[in-house]
Amino acid sequence: MPGTDSLRHTEETAAFEQALGQALASPEIKEALRRTPDAPRPEHLRLQAHRERATLCATAAAEYETYARLRGEADTPAPDTTPTDSPSATASGGGLLPALAVLVPSLGAIAAVLFLAIGFGMRLVSAHRQFADELVYAGWLAAGIAAAATAVDLAWLLATAARNRSTPDPVSPATDVTTPGSEVAQARAAWHLALLERGIVPFLLTRIQEGETERRTGRPGYSAPEYGSPEYGRHEYASPGYDSPEYSTTRSPR
């Protein structure tokens, strides 16, 4: 999958930096540095660890593969599932109740205002008294229906809000699924622990012990020549014999 290698490199870099900082600050490494005379400085150990980062990360490769598999499964949505608030669910009947919830109170309020206005108006002019009473009765009935519909709407809205708060949001691929206590978080913690205990801490202890060994034995080099050996005093290397007969013989000039 495109981007997998880049994601792994980023995650390994972050995990390596975190584990390296924990290792250098751990009591085990601090005690080893304290016991070792002329021990390497933490900055030098950090530089050496960065040079071997690929090898050290490979010590926890199995744990990383488990973590990556679980994370991929958590990022993948379950098949054959349709969200409740999707357009298909709304079109299949979920949109009728919201429409009625809006229309009934508004239409009831309008009808109540019209019926009451006409009915009371006819009573004032004393025209068609019986019909006016019926209009007033219809107006109060429409007002009651509008009030009841409004109360039902409010109860429905409160119930919907409570249900939405109790229902967890679906996990999207961009959401961090490593929440505390989850299986993915446990796998990630196991990967970090393996990187720390099997890779970085043993590497740092080995480098500290190697520094102590070099300090005791010294660096390898060349020994001084044995000028006092018998071979050095052989006659091939001796000074010329100025006291030899050949040298002391004089020749008279002619």
Side-chain angles (χ1 to χ4, degrees):
M1 183 173 59
T4 302
D5 295 338
S6 177
L7 177 61
R8 176 165 185 167
H9 177 76
T10 302
E11 289 183 337
E12 284 186 348
T13 301
F16 182 81
E17 289 292 343
Q18 180 181 359
L20 181 57
Q22 292 177 356
L24 291 174
S26 64
E28 185 177 6
I29 298 299
K30 288 185 176 180
E31 180 64 19
L33 291 173
R34 187 185 64 81
R35 292 197 315 263
T36 305
D38 300 331
R41 294 180 299 175
E43 294 79 6
H44 185 61
L45 292 175
R46 182 184 294 273
L47 180 61
Q48 290 181 337
H50 274 285
R51 291 174 180 172
E52 301 294 333
R53 185 176 68 86
T55 303
L56 296 177
C57 289
T59 60
E63 285 76 9
Y64 177 81
E65 295 299 333
T66 302
Y67 158 67
R69 177 178 57 81
L70 293 175
R71 185 194 58 203
E73 293 175 357
D75 289 344
T76 303
D80 299 333
T81 57
T82 303
T84 305
D85 298 333
S86 64
S88 59
T90 303
S92 62
L96 180 61
L97 289 179
L100 291 177
V102 174
L103 292 177
V104 172
S106 59
L107 292 178
I110 294 173
V113 171
L114 290 178
F115 290 159
L116 290 175
I118 296 173
F120 282 115
M122 293 179 66
R123 280 184 179 183
L124 290 176
V125 297
S126 300
H128 303 283
R129 182 73 179 185
Q130 183 178 359
F131 182 67
D133 293 340
E134 291 178 357
L135 287 178
V136 172
Y137 175 77
W140 287 120
L141 181 62
I145 293 174
T150 303
V152 172
D153 289 346
L154 291 176
W156 179 72
L157 289 176
L158 292 176
T160 303
R163 185 175 64 252
N164 291 337
R165 284 196 300 266
S166 61
T167 303
D169 295 334
V171 179
S172 62
T175 304
D176 185 10
V177 296
T178 58
T179 56
S182 66
E183 190 176 6
V184 179
Q186 294 175 0
R188 184 176 183 179
W191 168 43
H192 285 202
L193 184 63
L195 178 62
L196 180 66
E197 294 184 349
R198 291 208 308 260
I200 296 179
V201 170
F203 174 81
L204 296 179
L205 291 175
T206 301
R207 288 295 180 268
I208 295 173
Q209 293 173 0
E210 288 178 354
E212 174 66 12
T213 302
E214 291 180 0
R215 188 188 67 84
R216 291 179 179 178
T217 60
R219 299 184 62 182
Y222 297 99
S223 60
E226 299 178 355
Y227 294 106
S229 60
E231 290 79 1
Y232 191 79
R234 291 183 301 179
H235 63 86
E236 290 85 355
Y237 302 100
S239 58
Y242 294 103
D243 56 348
S244 62
E246 293 80 359
Y247 190 80
S248 59
T249 303
T250 59
R251 296 181 180 181
S252 57
R254 295 184 182 183

